[in-house]
Each structure stands twice: as C-alpha cells, then as structure tokens.
Amino acid sequence: MRFIILSLTLLLAAPVAQAQEPSAIPDVIGQQLEAFEADDFARAFTFASPMIKGYFRTPENFGAMVQEGYPMVHRPGSVTFGTQRSEGGSIYQSVTIRDAEGRYHALEYEMIPDGAGGWLIDGVSFVPAPDVSA
C-alpha cells in the first residue's frame, strides 16, 4: 500500500516538476510577447509577478508602460533567447530583440516560480552594450 501511495505521489508531482523547468521560460516570455503584439494587455499581464501587478495595478497601466518604455517588446521584429543564469530564487533569461527599425536590444528577464509549477516575469532590464573602444 505504501508503494502505491508513493508511486501516485511521484506521478502526480512529475508534471509540476517538469513545468517548473527553466527550459519552459522562453515559452512564457514568448507568450507574453505574442499578447503584446496583439495589444492584449490583459493576457500579457497574466505573465507578470504579483510585485509587477501590484505596482501597475491594471493591465492598461502595464500596457502603457510597455508601449512607452519598451517599444521593442511591444512590437518585436525578431526575438532570440540566450543563456540563463540562476541567482537567489530567480532565473535570469537573456533575450535579444530586433526592433522594427533593425536595431538590436539586449534584455534580461527575471523569472520567478509561480507556485503552481510555472514561471512569472518579475522584471525586465536592459543589458548595457559592451564597451568596444580601443
């Protein structure tokens, strides 16, 4: 009987463990980018952490901030996912976005577990370009 209970527990826990794998992070970011492209700020807001939701309070406020401060996220030309790093309880995902004018922007998404086996976006930062002067 113990074996059956243990087996069921492991089987039920497996999908949660798989869903919280860092490999799922690009999909979460991609879904939010798709929502922004469709001007579906309510859907885009669902990928934000409680801290982000508390700060902006409404999907409309959140969407306005993205349109003003992150136009390349609102209307990306192309998106490339780079490396991930772990720090504290967060995973940081590097993302390069090419905007409509052909300029490249290096961003870093801070991702946190959502408590249900997935991921939420807890912040996006610009990564400064390296100094290439001689």
Side-chain angles (χ1 to χ4, degrees):
M1 184 67 163
R2 278 189 200 161
F3 176 74
I4 293 171
I5 292 171
L6 179 60
S7 296
L8 285 174
T9 302
L10 291 174
L11 284 174
L12 293 173
V16 172
Q18 290 174 346
Q20 203 153 1
E21 288 295 318
S23 61
I25 288 173
D27 187 49
V28 172
I29 296 168
Q31 288 179 54
Q32 188 185 57
L33 292 171
E34 288 172 7
F36 281 133
E37 283 186 276
D39 288 331
D40 188 349
F41 300 125
R43 183 167 173 257
F45 203 47
T46 67
F47 299 100
S49 71
M51 187 265 307
I52 298 289
K53 288 178 179 175
Y55 185 79
F56 291 102
R57 298 184 189 243
T58 70
E60 294 76 24
N61 291 341
F62 181 62
M65 177 279 298
V66 170
Q67 287 175 310
E68 297 276 328
Y70 295 86
M72 76 292 299
V73 170
H74 182 233
R75 294 286 189 260
S78 65
V79 178
T80 305
F81 294 96
T83 60
Q84 293 179 351
R85 66 181 175 84
S86 179
E87 186 176 311
S90 299
I91 302 282
Y92 293 85
Q93 172 72 58
S94 66
V95 179
T96 302
I97 295 180
R98 183 172 173 248
D99 67 20
E101 285 79 41
R103 294 180 302 240
Y104 289 89
H105 306 269
L107 304 168
E108 187 172 64
Y109 279 71
E110 181 179 359
M111 307 296 294
I112 61 169
D114 71 358
W119 296 94
L120 294 172
I121 300 167
D122 199 39
V124 179
S125 302
F126 289 101
V127 177
D131 183 9
V132 293
S133 61

